[in-house]
Amino acid sequence: MAAGAAAAALGREGGEDAFRRLFRLYRQRDAADLRGVLDFSAPGGQVFRSQLSVSSVSDQDACRAGLQPVSRWKAYGLKGYPGFIFIQNPFLPGCQHHWVKQCLKLYTQKPNVCNLDLHMAPEKTADLWGQSKEKLRMKGSGKCEPRSLLEKLRWVTLGYHYNWDTKKYSANHHTPFPSDLAFLSEQVAAACGFRGFQAQAGILNYYHFDSSLGIHVDESELDHSRPLLSFSFGQSSIFLLGGLKREEAPTAMFMHSGDIMVMSGFSRLLYHAVPRVLPNPEGTPLPSCLDQALCSDLPVDSVIEHTSDDDWQVCAKYLRSSRINMTIRQVLAEGQKFPEEAGTDTESQAPSEDSHHQNSRAKRHKPNIDS
């Protein structure tokens, strides 16, 4: 049975854990028939145009964040998923370079937390970019070459650092949230009708062609009335959006470089997953949107910085086989505080390395930590 037909049959089948059955189907390396996957570049069927709050974001502020005027965004909703908004690459030419560079060069620095901290000495993870850039720049296409530290990176947490083991945030495990990423998130949230959104926590996921993201619900934030924002860069992926129960079969859709997803309202607490990362459908090593030069008329107070040719050479080599996803959350409502927790400290917040991010080439690793 072709993959598209198989997906449709599994969706109709329902029953116990229909989500996992579809996850496994799309996870297969030989699942070449992806006709059952929604592509928002050619929307139809259950897809409809979503109305945005154009007046909530000035063209100047959108440009400062490296975004087109909101009136030009192509935003879509899905029937049966109220509160879900898909925005097809609204970034100005060349501006994705900034966010890729930040995710690889700046956001990986201390005091932010990453999976490599769990089994490496602090001095070894202090400058992942510096220790990896030459190896990445010179790296060939051989699969047997040892991976640089950046290629071993699976996740980074920002702001309130998520504890993967307890699935909680806490007041005493917090570092400053990046101001440029906060500004970008605030503009996107406002355009989707959420003025006053505060970017308080970020989880950055780093995928390769053998990576996936397991089936889960993002429910650890104390305020579920605020949206979850998801930004993707690099290679494409299949994203599965399900229901409130895993017995409900999910809808599969493509996410390409520059695409943004917003999950709010009913869709805020739905099961979702990424079963597979796919090569750029254009057939080139990188999507064409990543080959564009930075637009020359950004305002002087833009949060977007020019990415040097040397830095982009490293980023581009990394992205030839990788995808980066930034998910941004507001953890607390206005004036809300964390409940008192006895005996919590920073060290007890250490997560397991792969409790959220999966890799088909290695068994899930649980470090020997006292948590």
Side-chain angles (χ1 to χ4, degrees):
M1 183 184 294
L10 283 170
R12 289 192 299 270
E13 203 173 296
E16 184 180 356
D17 212 348
F19 199 127
R20 179 161 294 281
R21 286 201 296 274
L22 273 174
F23 182 93
R24 288 177 176 169
L25 172 71
Y26 285 118
R27 179 73 180 134
Q28 296 171 11
R29 297 293 98 190
D30 57 353
D33 185 353
L34 302 176
R35 286 175 293 181
V37 183
L38 263 176
D39 193 336
F40 287 92
S41 63
Q46 69 184 111
V47 178
F48 60 90
R49 285 299 292 262
S50 183
Q51 296 299 312
L52 297 173
S53 181
V54 175
S55 62
S56 295
V57 180
S58 68
D59 291 355
Q60 178 81 357
D61 280 344
C63 192
R64 285 182 61 207
L67 300 165
Q68 301 175 42
V70 178
S71 59
R72 299 183 191 172
W73 294 8
K74 295 179 180 178
Y76 303 96
L78 283 176
K79 295 177 182 176
Y81 296 96
F84 175 79
I85 302 173
F86 188 102
I87 304 169
Q88 189 180 9
N89 185 13
F91 289 94
L92 288 167
C95 289
Q96 290 188 52
H97 289 198
H98 171 84
W99 301 109
V100 173
K101 181 198 69 177
Q102 297 296 79
C103 286
L104 292 175
K105 185 177 182 178
L106 183 67
Y107 300 158
T108 55
Q109 296 178 11
K110 297 294 165 273
N112 299 330
V113 182
C114 73
N115 62 292
L116 299 177
D117 297 326
L118 305 176
H119 52 84
M120 296 180 68
E123 61 271 17
K124 296 288 188 180
T125 62
D127 185 13
L128 301 182
W129 173 270
Q131 295 183 66
S132 304
K133 61 181 181 180
E134 291 306 322
K135 183 179 289 188
L136 270 172
R137 187 181 283 117
M138 304 302 294
K139 194 175 179 67
S141 57
K143 293 183 179 179
C144 295
E145 292 185 71
R147 287 187 169 185
S148 65
L149 288 181
L150 276 179
E151 291 170 295
K152 294 178 180 178
L153 193 64
R154 289 293 174 264
W155 50 260
V156 167
T157 53
L158 312 172
Y160 288 114
H161 297 283
Y162 185 67
N163 183 327
W164 303 93
D165 288 336
T166 66
K167 295 181 169 53
K168 292 181 179 180
Y169 301 93
S170 67
N172 61 357
H173 197 204
H174 175 269
T175 56
F177 194 93
S179 59
D180 57 347
L181 184 51
F183 185 76
L184 169 69
S185 304
E186 289 159 9
Q187 307 319 304
V188 172
C192 294
F194 295 94
R195 299 184 73 167
F197 175 84
Q198 299 176 48
Q200 297 175 336
I203 298 177
L204 315 181
N205 276 306
Y206 300 81
Y207 299 83
H208 307 297
F209 286 134
D210 57 358
S211 303
S212 64
L213 183 69
I215 305 166
H216 68 286
V217 176
D218 292 294
E219 58 185 357
S220 300
E221 296 74 30
L222 275 65
D223 181 14
H224 295 153
S225 70
R226 310 304 275 172
L228 179 127
L229 312 180
S230 173
F231 302 84
S232 288
F233 305 106
Q235 300 299 322
S236 300
S237 70
I238 296 174
F239 179 79
L240 299 180
L241 181 62
L244 295 171
K245 299 179 180 180
R246 288 172 56 141
E247 288 79 7
E248 300 177 50
T251 296
M253 62 195 79
F254 289 114
M255 287 200 74
H256 303 302
S257 191
D259 290 344
I260 301 172
M261 290 192 314
V262 179
M263 297 172 67
S264 66
F266 171 80
S267 294
R268 177 63 179 79
L269 296 176
L270 298 183
Y271 280 99
H272 54 280
V274 176
R276 191 172 171 195
V277 176
L278 300 166
N280 168 34
E282 298 170 315
T284 52
L286 291 181
S288 56
C289 62
L290 290 175
D291 288 331
Q292 299 171 327
L294 184 66
C295 49
S296 58
D297 55 351
L298 290 174
V300 293
D301 58 349
S302 171
V303 301
I304 301 297
E305 302 171 346
H306 172 70
T307 301
S308 70
D309 290 342
D310 284 347
D311 282 356
W312 182 246
Q313 183 183 3
V314 176
C315 294
K317 183 63 71 75
Y318 177 89
L319 289 182
R320 282 172 175 255
S321 59
S322 304
R323 168 182 179 256
I324 299 172
N325 177 252
M326 311 187 300
T327 59
I328 313 302
R329 307 106 188 284
Q330 178 170 333
V331 177
L332 302 168
E334 186 75 29
Q336 189 177 20
K337 294 183 179 180
F338 288 101
E340 292 291 333
E341 294 184 27
T344 58
D345 55 39
T346 300
E347 290 185 350
S348 72
Q349 301 292 326
S352 60
E353 179 180 7
D354 251 350
S355 57
H356 193 50
H357 211 292
Q358 299 173 0
N359 185 309
S360 64
R361 292 184 180 176
K363 294 181 179 179
R364 286 171 58 175
H365 169 66
K366 182 97 169 177
N368 184 19
I369 56 175
D370 181 16
S371 59

